[in-house]
Amino acid sequence: MQKLSIQKFLNNKFIAYLAAGSFLVLSLLLGISIGTVSVPIFTILQIIAAKLVGIISLDQIDPMFSSIVWNIRLPRVILAGIVGASLAIAGAAFQGLLRNPLADPYTLGVSSGASVGAVLTLFFQFSIPFAGSFTLPLLSILFSFLTIFFVLAFARKIERSMKVETIILTGIIFSSFLGAIISLMIALTGDELRQIIGWLLGSVSMRGWEYIKIILPFFILGSAILIFNVKELNAMSFGEERAQHLGVNVQKRKLMILTAGSILTGAAVAVSGTIGFVGLVIPHLSRLLWGPDHRHLLPLSIITGSGFLILADLISRTIISPVELPIGVITALVGAPVFALILLQRRRKERSE
């Protein structure tokens, strides 16, 4: 009886959004407040109000606090939040589409494909005419989409039915191969070595407002496409044949969802490097807490993923301060055990059946 009441409480969508929203707001405030110099939360709110609304004069605020918050911590926290949201919603979509909680941009090789695109751009100093600073995310998105296309094509060659396990194993194979290409480029790199290695480890440090402007259009576009397809994702989570019987154009919708996931992953990797396991852990936990309905799962994954990566970034820069750990190290420390637990649960379920 108690278990039923707890589940009913969690299934209340108002409670779900309130809990996720509170977690995000708390993460934002902690991420901005805590650091080498602690900034009072009330001062943070004053600075944001002064900058955005103008109801308070900046003359009333310590210039040091104002500079730290507006020029360093706020853009860093917002960027971490957008990257976390992008990876989480992409992971939730991939898991729903492939009907497997082990699917995410990292395990499917999409992150590795985006990394190859970004490293090639940095290595050869590519610049698309008229694209400017958008060259890096555009090429990352292109390579992430090509990777998922080749993963699915190769999986179909191996097995016409394209079992999810086959797709994930193919993704891991491609990820390893692409990782070898990245290692080769690093071995051939001269002066750009430190920049490429630092970028590959994953970080949102010292990125500034410019990087937010780069990722934001792709985040809005990719998220909008996925949210537009929530009903189709719900149908396809029961199997492609059933979705077709319900009137879903499976091939068209699958292409749209994979394209949107590639846009989100490519843009996230372009601005922050490779950050693994966010797209695995957050959608899985959100699904466990609040159910599999993608109408709510996708927005809740956005909110929770955003808060999670903000906290991961906070830990990465404070746990052994003044030394800063790559954010990917923190997400891997959390994500790898969760990945193992999910795998164990699936094996036990298969044996019991």
Side-chain angles (χ1 to χ4, degrees):
M1 187 73 177
Q2 188 178 2
K3 188 176 180 181
L4 284 172
S5 62
I6 292 171
Q7 193 60 49
K8 187 177 179 182
F9 176 78
L10 289 172
N11 286 338
N12 185 313
K13 293 302 177 279
F14 173 77
I15 298 296
Y17 283 102
L18 180 64
S22 301
F23 171 65
L24 176 57
V25 170
L26 180 63
S27 301
L28 281 165
L29 292 175
L30 289 175
I32 300 169
S33 176
I34 298 173
T36 308
V37 176
S38 295
V39 182
I41 288 175
F42 182 69
T43 304
I44 294 169
L45 297 175
Q46 282 184 312
I47 293 166
I48 293 172
K51 288 284 188 179
L52 297 182
V53 186
I55 57 175
I56 298 171
S57 172
L58 282 173
D59 296 335
Q60 304 171 22
I61 303 165
D62 189 327
M64 181 185 71
F65 284 157
S66 179
S67 178
I68 289 171
V69 169
W70 193 258
N71 297 323
I72 300 172
R73 290 194 193 156
L74 185 61
R76 177 174 184 153
V77 163
I78 291 173
L79 184 63
I82 296 173
V83 170
S86 299
L87 295 173
I89 189 176
F94 286 146
Q95 288 174 14
L97 180 65
L98 300 174
R99 307 185 304 284
N100 192 304
L102 296 175
D104 87 317
Y106 198 71
T107 56
L108 291 175
V110 182
S111 292
S112 296
S115 297
V116 169
V119 170
L120 281 171
T121 307
L122 295 171
F123 185 78
F124 291 108
Q125 298 295 305
F126 283 134
S127 181
I128 298 173
F130 309 110
S133 59
F134 286 94
T135 299
L136 188 60
L138 286 172
L139 287 176
S140 292
I141 289 165
L142 174 63
F143 274 81
S144 63
F145 181 75
L146 288 173
T147 302
I148 194 65
F149 173 79
F150 282 119
V151 164
L152 293 174
F154 191 73
R156 185 180 288 275
K157 282 280 185 185
I158 296 171
E159 191 176 39
R160 292 290 297 175
S161 61
M162 289 181 68
K163 286 183 180 177
V164 176
E165 286 78 6
T166 306
I167 293 172
I168 290 173
L169 284 171
T170 306
I172 292 169
I173 291 167
F174 270 78
S175 186
S176 301
F177 175 72
L178 294 169
I181 292 175
I182 292 170
S183 298
L184 176 63
M185 283 189 283
I186 288 172
L188 297 172
T189 301
D191 297 336
E192 300 89 2
L193 178 63
R194 182 176 295 178
Q195 181 190 3
I196 290 174
I197 290 178
W199 175 85
L200 281 172
L201 290 171
S203 175
V204 289
S205 173
M206 302 304 292
R207 296 294 198 263
W209 293 104
E210 183 63 32
Y211 281 77
I212 294 171
K213 293 175 186 176
I214 290 172
I215 190 175
L216 193 58
F218 298 106
F219 169 67
I220 293 169
L221 175 62
S223 300
I225 293 171
L226 291 181
I227 290 171
F228 178 72
N229 284 281
V230 287
K231 291 181 180 177
E232 287 75 15
L233 265 172
N234 280 340
M236 285 190 280
S237 63
F238 292 105
E240 291 185 10
E241 287 185 12
R242 187 167 179 181
Q244 281 179 331
H245 290 314
L246 293 170
V248 176
N249 186 334
V250 172
Q251 295 306 316
K252 178 184 173 183
R253 297 295 177 171
K254 186 190 286 186
L255 182 63
M256 288 177 71
I257 291 163
L258 291 173
T259 301
S262 299
I263 289 170
L264 290 161
T265 305
V269 168
V271 298
S272 66
T274 307
I275 299 173
F277 295 106
V278 178
L280 175 78
V281 174
I282 298 304
H284 183 69
L285 292 178
S286 298
R287 191 178 288 103
L288 285 176
L289 286 172
W290 299 306
D293 186 348
H294 288 87
R295 291 176 302 170
H296 301 291
L297 179 62
L298 295 190
L300 287 167
S301 293
I302 286 175
I303 299 167
T304 314
S306 182
F308 171 75
L309 202 65
I310 290 169
L311 285 183
D313 177 56
L314 174 61
I315 293 168
S316 74
R317 62 184 167 85
T318 57
I319 193 168
I320 53 170
S321 181
V323 178
E324 186 171 313
L325 287 174
I327 193 170
V329 172
I330 305 300
T331 58
L333 287 172
V334 175
V338 173
F339 184 91
L341 284 172
I342 296 169
L343 190 59
L344 281 171
Q345 285 177 350
R346 283 184 61 80
R347 291 295 178 222
R348 284 173 185 167
K349 188 177 178 181
E350 286 171 6
R351 285 171 189 166
S352 63
E353 290 173 353

